[in-house]
Amino acid sequence: MHLEFEKPIIELESKLSDMKDLAQQSEVDVSDAITKLENKILKLKKDTFENLTRWQRVQLSRHPERPYTLDYIYEMSDEFVELHGDRTVKDDKAMVGGFAEIDGQAVMIIGQQKGRNTKQRQERNFGMANPEGYRKALRLMKLAEKFNRPIITLIDTPGAFPGLEAEERGQGEAIARNLKEMMMLKVPVVSVIIGEGASGGALGIAIADKVLMMENTWYSVISPESCSSILWRSWDYKEQAAEALKLTAKDMLENKLIDGVIKEPLGGAHTNMKSSAAELRKEIMKHIKALSKQSVDKRIENRIEKFSGMGAYQ
């Protein structure tokens, strides 16, 4: 699948493929033309992806081929043991987590997981966790704290599940409890938005010492579509809503709401998953090593000050 703004690039890449086929099938030397076209494609890619609108970044964050939480976990870690259930209701498949080993360091990794096909999407509830998902996440965080293991959370959700049954089982309370408990965790916590970061559904596992965003992701109190439907009673103004929300990684960094942006390969994380995972691992482990040198009291104090200082008020 290709996004609308990618079509000019795809057309040129198709021409390049045809040209290479022609070169193989005949004795005509078209090497100069191939080189020129390759340079043209590279320039067009750079111009396109360095000047994406906020809405285009949102589209890229939802690309169906984009790596999800488990993709990154299996690529980054040497061992991963998934843990299940919240010990109260059930195992929420939209929230995954377990112990892993990265570069010789034992860690706890937790994140939202989406599905690739219709069956998986239904099973994973489109990455929208129920209360038991947040309670499972908290249980795993407490387990990590017990064994003194750093916590990594990978965020990729269009929001917590808004269904009636989720509210009946205490969705708001589950997320609020996570916010309170994460603020006081004694181990280092690093959170990364790897796709969509919407509302309390994202924040429920994002109270961390360091919050990072991958380059083509978004993080906001509401999605552009929902914002558009509230303000204009229609989804048709989602592009204007995205611009007004200032929800990209660059915007978040400028507003001092996150601590860093992780570069992606040209064209997005899905174009080179191994490279994306390597960069993600490098950034996460860099922060974990730095945070591990701080005292527990200092880390908690900094974490509280970090989130208390957000926002402008009089």
Side-chain angles (χ1 to χ4, degrees):
M1 177 192 164
H2 301 294
L3 301 171
E4 190 67 32
F5 62 84
E6 292 180 301
K7 284 184 178 176
I9 299 168
I10 303 307
E11 287 171 7
L12 286 181
E13 285 180 336
S14 177
K15 287 181 182 177
L16 179 63
S17 179
D18 292 342
M19 204 176 284
K20 286 180 177 177
D21 288 341
L22 177 66
Q24 284 181 342
Q25 292 167 10
S26 67
E27 296 180 1
V28 180
D29 183 14
V30 290
S31 55
D32 287 345
I34 288 173
T35 303
K36 282 180 183 176
L37 191 52
E38 284 174 338
N39 291 335
K40 186 177 180 180
I41 291 169
L42 183 61
K43 185 179 183 302
L44 181 58
K45 272 188 177 179
K46 283 181 178 177
D47 290 344
T48 301
F49 288 99
E50 284 173 6
N51 298 290
L52 292 177
T53 66
R54 291 181 175 94
W55 173 245
Q56 285 170 339
R57 297 243 184 238
V58 171
Q59 288 179 296
L60 209 50
S61 76
R62 296 170 176 168
H63 199 289
E65 293 170 16
R66 193 174 176 83
Y68 294 148
T69 294
L70 286 175
D71 297 323
Y72 282 124
I73 289 175
Y74 288 123
E75 187 63 38
M76 290 193 303
S77 61
D78 301 316
E79 289 184 41
F80 174 62
V81 180
E82 187 174 353
L83 302 173
H84 300 272
D86 70 336
R87 301 294 185 267
T88 306
V89 179
K90 65 173 185 178
D91 181 41
D92 189 339
K93 302 286 187 186
M95 188 77 75
V96 296
F99 284 113
E101 190 175 291
I102 303 176
D103 296 344
Q105 167 74 60
V107 296
M108 174 68 79
I109 308 184
I110 300 162
Q112 288 107 351
Q113 175 67 23
K114 294 176 177 176
R116 292 282 172 205
N117 53 42
T118 303
K119 185 179 178 181
Q120 288 178 0
R121 285 176 193 133
Q122 288 176 332
E123 183 186 19
R124 301 288 182 183
N125 201 30
F126 299 88
M128 296 186 291
N130 278 276
E132 47 272 21
Y134 292 97
R135 291 180 179 126
K136 172 166 81 169
L138 183 58
R139 180 176 79 81
L140 299 189
M141 289 177 202
K142 288 293 184 182
L143 197 60
E145 187 178 51
K146 181 179 179 180
F147 291 105
N148 195 30
R149 300 291 183 247
I151 297 166
I152 300 164
T153 66
L154 303 179
I155 294 141
D156 187 11
T157 180
F161 185 58
L164 179 62
E165 61 273 27
E167 299 299 341
E168 287 173 343
R169 292 198 300 276
Q171 185 74 287
E173 186 275 339
I175 292 172
R177 183 172 295 274
N178 277 25
L179 305 187
K180 173 181 175 288
E181 295 290 343
M182 286 188 79
M183 200 69 78
M184 304 306 293
L185 285 170
K186 294 176 182 177
V187 293
V189 187
V190 177
S191 293
V192 187
I193 291 88
I194 60 168
E196 300 184 88
S199 193
L203 197 61
I205 59 168
I207 303 297
D209 301 299
K210 296 293 177 183
V211 180
L212 312 172
M213 287 178 71
M214 296 194 75
E215 190 178 7
N216 296 305
T217 62
W218 64 275
Y219 192 25
S220 176
V221 70
I222 195 169
S223 71
E225 292 93 334
S226 297
C227 179
S228 174
S229 66
I230 290 170
L231 295 181
W232 290 284
R233 301 285 188 272
S234 165
W235 277 24
D236 296 340
Y237 301 92
K238 53 188 179 290
E239 293 180 39
Q240 289 96 311
E243 289 298 319
L245 286 167
K246 293 183 169 56
L247 38 57
T248 66
K250 184 183 175 185
D251 295 322
M252 291 290 114
L253 190 62
E254 285 176 359
N255 289 323
K256 299 179 182 175
L257 295 170
I258 62 167
D259 302 289
V261 178
I262 300 172
K263 286 286 288 181
E264 293 183 20
L266 188 62
H270 60 283
T271 60
N272 191 334
M273 194 268 180
K274 287 187 179 293
S275 172
S276 299
E279 192 66 24
L280 180 62
R281 182 180 67 231
K282 185 184 83 175
E283 287 296 314
I284 288 172
M285 297 315 293
K286 178 184 76 177
H287 287 293
I288 284 177
K289 283 173 185 172
L291 290 165
S292 298
K293 293 174 184 175
Q294 296 177 1
S295 68
V296 172
D297 290 342
K298 185 64 177 173
R299 267 202 311 268
I300 293 174
E301 182 187 336
N302 289 347
R303 202 182 299 151
I304 292 170
E305 285 181 2
K306 172 189 175 69
F307 284 91
S308 299
M310 288 181 181
Y313 55 90
Q314 290 181 331

